[in-house]
Amino acid sequence: MPERLNLIAPDDWHVHLRDNAMLTRVVGRTARLFQRAIVMPNLRPPVTTVKAAEGYRNRILDAVPSGLSFTPLMTAYLTDGSDPDELERGFTTGVFTAAKLYPANATTNSAAGVTDLSRIDSVLSAMQRIGMPLLIHGEVTDSDVDIFDREATFIDCHLIPLRERYPDLKIVLEHITTSQAVDYVGSADRNLAATITPHHLHINRNAMFAGGLRSDFYCLPVAKREQHRLALRRAATSGDCRFFLGTDSAPHSREAKETACGCAGIFNAPHALESYALAFEQEGAIDRLEGFASLHGPAFYGLPVNQTRVCLAKVDQLVPELIDGLVPFHAGEILPWTMISSS
Ligand code: NCD
Ligand code: ZN
């Protein structure tokens, strides 16, 4: 019998499920692997109110294929005009699990994001008081800053001062891509964690330019140099509970990827767990996958660990070139792990 890996059911602490037809296409891919997921609010229009989040949550639940049990954890999209009372109401009634900070124009559907952190002081004070986590897309948007430096610059210019102002605010630095982020998060004594995607564990920036311009490897924050990928691998597999799983699966239609100005985002949901398993195995740390995938996230969010389990088998699978019309991460590759059951 092939080797098996039996894990407490994992959660995805950062995913884009989109809406309408795209939601229906992709949600089962996440729900099949993950028990819960932190759902990003960057819809058009963004999810800024309790009512909008409730409506979106219902649409997600309606779209989950029957037989799968999946809990979407909703987030509020912060804008310059966010209302602290609305956020508090959403958090205390269990509709919002966290709020997402997109610096305005940092990424897909972030035009309505925050233009200056000083504009949301009252919101951040309320979040700190009630223990509501702040999820950060940590990149500066200044076009004078090199795109490969935008995460490190954000940490120095915004995150460090923000944490000095709000030492009790719980913060997740999302989808980290640099050794600077690894070092900074790893040096924080409390209230700071980071998610790491599967693609940033597997690719460096060369992937976008291998033999031509490859938009399927373009995402934000953009993949960096090899030394950064290696730092992310060390962090993810270290057993340090400040680092946990967040796929940032971000599907876009073929037309939106294959165009002169292609959208940022990698659709990795279909094989996310197998992709992480491969990275952990390559690092000789498969025994630490459960902590990263299933334990560190709930501990940070103060949520219970899942009761169910999943099983991966050491069985090769060929990742299709297209899944539901979308190019998945690892398309055309053979992955050595296959999810065989959840219970
Ligand atoms: C995300 C998207 O498409 O919504 N894209 C991405 O490259 N990750 C937005 C984001 O998380 O930055
Ligand atoms: Zn994202």
Side-chain angles (χ1 to χ4, degrees):
M1 199 165 73
E3 187 188 332
R4 296 203 165 187
L5 191 58
N6 193 283
L7 302 173
I8 294 171
D11 304 298
D12 184 350
W13 299 99
H14 180 130
V15 71
H16 300 267
L17 295 179
R18 312 301 192 206
D19 210 348
N20 305 315
M22 186 64 97
L23 167 64
T24 309
R25 262 156 105 183
V26 302
V27 67
R29 301 290 169 175
T30 292
R32 193 176 66 88
L33 298 180
F34 299 106
Q35 185 75 56
R36 297 171 288 202
I38 287 273
V39 181
M40 289 298 121
N42 61 332
L43 303 183
R44 263 182 265 176
V47 179
T48 54
T49 63
V50 179
K51 189 161 177 274
E54 284 175 319
Y56 185 30
R57 182 167 65 183
N58 289 337
R59 294 196 296 283
I60 294 168
L61 290 171
D62 286 346
V64 173
S66 59
L68 295 177
S69 112
F70 174 68
T71 305
L73 303 172
M74 309 310 290
T75 57
Y77 180 115
L78 297 179
T79 70
D80 284 353
S82 288
D83 174 4
D85 296 337
E86 178 80 0
L87 286 183
E88 182 163 356
R89 189 168 68 83
F91 184 66
T92 52
T93 56
V95 178
F96 289 140
T97 298
K100 178 70 190 264
L101 168 66
Y102 290 102
N105 301 315
T107 188
T108 310
N109 296 345
S110 64
V114 173
T115 60
D116 191 320
L117 278 175
S118 65
R119 296 188 183 229
I120 56 165
D121 263 326
S122 60
V123 166
L124 298 175
S125 300
M127 290 175 64
Q128 173 169 256
R129 177 171 48 77
I130 62 180
M132 181 176 190
L134 175 69
L135 316 183
I136 300 183
H137 183 110
E139 288 191 288
V140 294
T141 55
D142 186 343
S143 58
D144 291 342
V145 178
D146 190 285
I147 189 165
F148 294 100
D149 297 332
R150 288 182 191 172
E151 183 174 280
T153 306
F154 183 90
I155 293 170
D156 289 342
C157 297
H158 300 291
L159 186 55
I160 292 174
L162 176 73
R163 292 190 63 238
E164 277 164 10
R165 287 209 307 284
Y166 299 99
D168 295 325
L169 181 61
K170 290 174 80 162
I171 295 176
V172 183
L173 187 56
E174 300 284 359
H175 41 51
I176 59 170
T177 58
T178 57
S179 63
Q180 289 92 332
V182 167
D183 291 346
Y184 181 62
V185 173
S187 70
D189 54 351
R190 64 201 185 102
N191 291 334
L192 183 64
T195 52
I196 302 179
T197 75
H199 42 280
H200 290 114
L201 295 177
H202 285 288
I203 62 167
N204 63 32
R205 62 190 192 176
N206 288 346
M208 287 180 290
F209 309 106
L213 197 53
R214 293 175 176 260
S215 61
D216 289 318
F217 296 110
Y218 172 54
C219 63
L220 287 170
V222 71
K224 308 293 192 299
R225 285 179 180 275
E226 178 66 358
Q227 74 204 53
H228 297 288
R229 183 182 77 95
L230 297 177
L232 295 169
R233 282 193 161 217
R234 281 194 295 275
T237 60
S238 64
D240 185 329
C241 64
R242 288 168 290 199
F243 300 101
F244 49 83
L245 186 159
T247 64
D248 195 19
S249 182
H252 290 281
S253 69
R254 287 318 295 151
E255 303 74 58
K257 289 298 277 181
E258 288 178 11
T259 172
C261 186
C263 289
I266 293 179
F267 177 50
N268 61 28
H271 302 87
L273 203 51
E274 291 97 326
S275 179
Y276 282 116
L278 174 59
F280 275 67
E281 183 183 37
Q282 288 168 337
E283 296 301 313
I286 200 82
D287 54 319
R288 296 196 173 147
L289 179 61
E290 185 172 63
F292 178 79
S294 316
L295 300 175
H296 303 168
F300 185 85
Y301 278 89
L303 293 169
V305 167
N306 292 320
Q307 297 292 310
T308 53
R309 305 188 72 84
V310 298
C311 189
L312 295 178
K314 194 75 194 289
V315 171
D316 283 354
Q317 63 170 316
L318 174 63
V319 176
E321 297 287 349
L322 275 181
I323 295 182
D324 297 329
L326 303 165
V327 174
F329 185 48
H330 295 297
E333 292 174 37
I334 291 176
L335 289 175
W337 290 95
T338 301
M339 164 104 164
I340 52 170
S341 70
S342 54
S343 61

